[in-house]
Structure formats: C-alpha cells, structure tokens
Amino acid sequence: MRSFGKIFILAFSVCVLSLFTSCESDDFDFFTTVDDNKNAAITHETSDKLLDSLSVEEIDSFSAEFALRTDVPKANVYINGNYQGRSPLRIKEMVPGYYKLKVEFAQSSSEIIIKEYLIELESGKAKEYYIEK
C-alpha cells in the first residue's frame, strides 16, 4: 500500500507540474525577451485582426509556407511564443491554421518595439508578410 501511495503522489506531482509548464498566458513578461534590460523603453502594439499577406503563392502541398520581411533587418520573430529566428525569414511545411505572430524590433539598445498579429496559413499556399517598424 505504501508504494501505491508514493506512485500516486509522484503521478499527481507530474500532472501538476505539466499543468503549470504548459499554461500559456496573454500577459507577457517583455523584460525576459530583451535580456532583462529593465531600463529598456518598450512599445507594444497588438492587433486581434488577421494580418494581410503581401503575396500568396500556390504550392503543391498539403502544408503551408510562411515568409516574413521587415523594413528593419534582423527583427526577432516568434510564432505562438516560440522563437523562429530573425527577419527575413521563410518557414516551409507548416501546419495550416491560425498563428500568433510577434515581431520585436530593436530601435536601439534601450528601446524595443513589439508588434503582435494573428495570421492564417492555408493548405497548399505560401504566404509572405511584410511588417514595418
């Protein structure tokens, strides 16, 4: 009976831990994305509307492609909170659907501009987006 209790407590602990680590929040701690620079001035803009694509190209596939260009090179790009790289960026073979796109522009070492959008990727299409600072 003791081993069953220990297994139950261990399983319960794992469940609780996975619950806390898998939760996503719409509240962002922006200072962690700028290397804990607490003196940085951060400008944040969020749009709940779909971002219009610059171009749409038909591809022979069930997956989708995503491309992003920015007026300032090397902007940090996040999709659904996961860092994808710096602009310009192209990602092939994405699962079609809706994604949260976040772009961080470093205005200077003390100023960060963050823009967030909702994008839709469609099966068999390559979409290119262009974002200005």
Side-chain angles (χ1 to χ4, degrees):
M1 184 67 179
R2 283 186 179 198
S3 62
F4 176 77
K6 289 179 182 179
I7 292 172
F8 176 78
I9 290 172
L10 179 63
F12 179 77
S13 300
V14 169
C15 289
V16 170
L17 181 61
S18 66
L19 177 68
F20 284 118
T21 58
S22 66
C23 288
E24 288 188 22
S25 171
D26 289 336
D27 299 326
F28 296 98
D29 182 5
F30 293 115
F31 293 115
T32 59
T33 61
V34 292
D35 299 328
D36 291 329
N37 185 355
K38 305 242 187 275
N39 298 321
I42 297 173
T43 305
H44 183 241
E45 175 186 317
T46 300
S47 174
D48 291 336
K49 297 181 180 178
L50 282 172
L51 179 64
D52 292 329
S53 60
L54 178 66
S55 67
V56 178
E57 182 181 317
E58 297 289 330
I59 56 175
D60 188 26
S61 172
F62 291 107
S63 64
E65 286 187 20
F66 165 81
L68 177 70
R69 290 188 301 123
T70 57
D71 62 339
V72 177
K74 298 186 179 179
N76 291 323
V77 179
Y78 298 82
I79 296 179
N80 288 347
N82 297 315
Y83 180 74
Q84 299 297 316
R86 293 184 174 199
S87 65
L89 180 70
R90 177 174 294 277
I91 303 173
K92 297 181 178 187
E93 298 183 10
M94 290 188 67
V95 175
Y98 292 93
Y99 292 90
K100 190 177 199 178
L101 172 67
K102 179 170 99 172
V103 182
E104 290 180 348
F105 297 95
Q107 181 81 352
S108 66
S109 62
S110 63
E111 187 176 355
I112 306 293
I113 297 172
I114 298 172
K115 294 190 173 189
E116 291 184 338
Y117 303 94
L118 182 64
I119 60 171
E120 179 184 17
L121 299 178
E122 299 175 62
S123 181
K125 297 190 181 192
K127 289 190 175 183
E128 181 176 14
Y129 297 90
Y130 178 76
I131 298 176
E132 293 181 348
K133 177 175 59 167

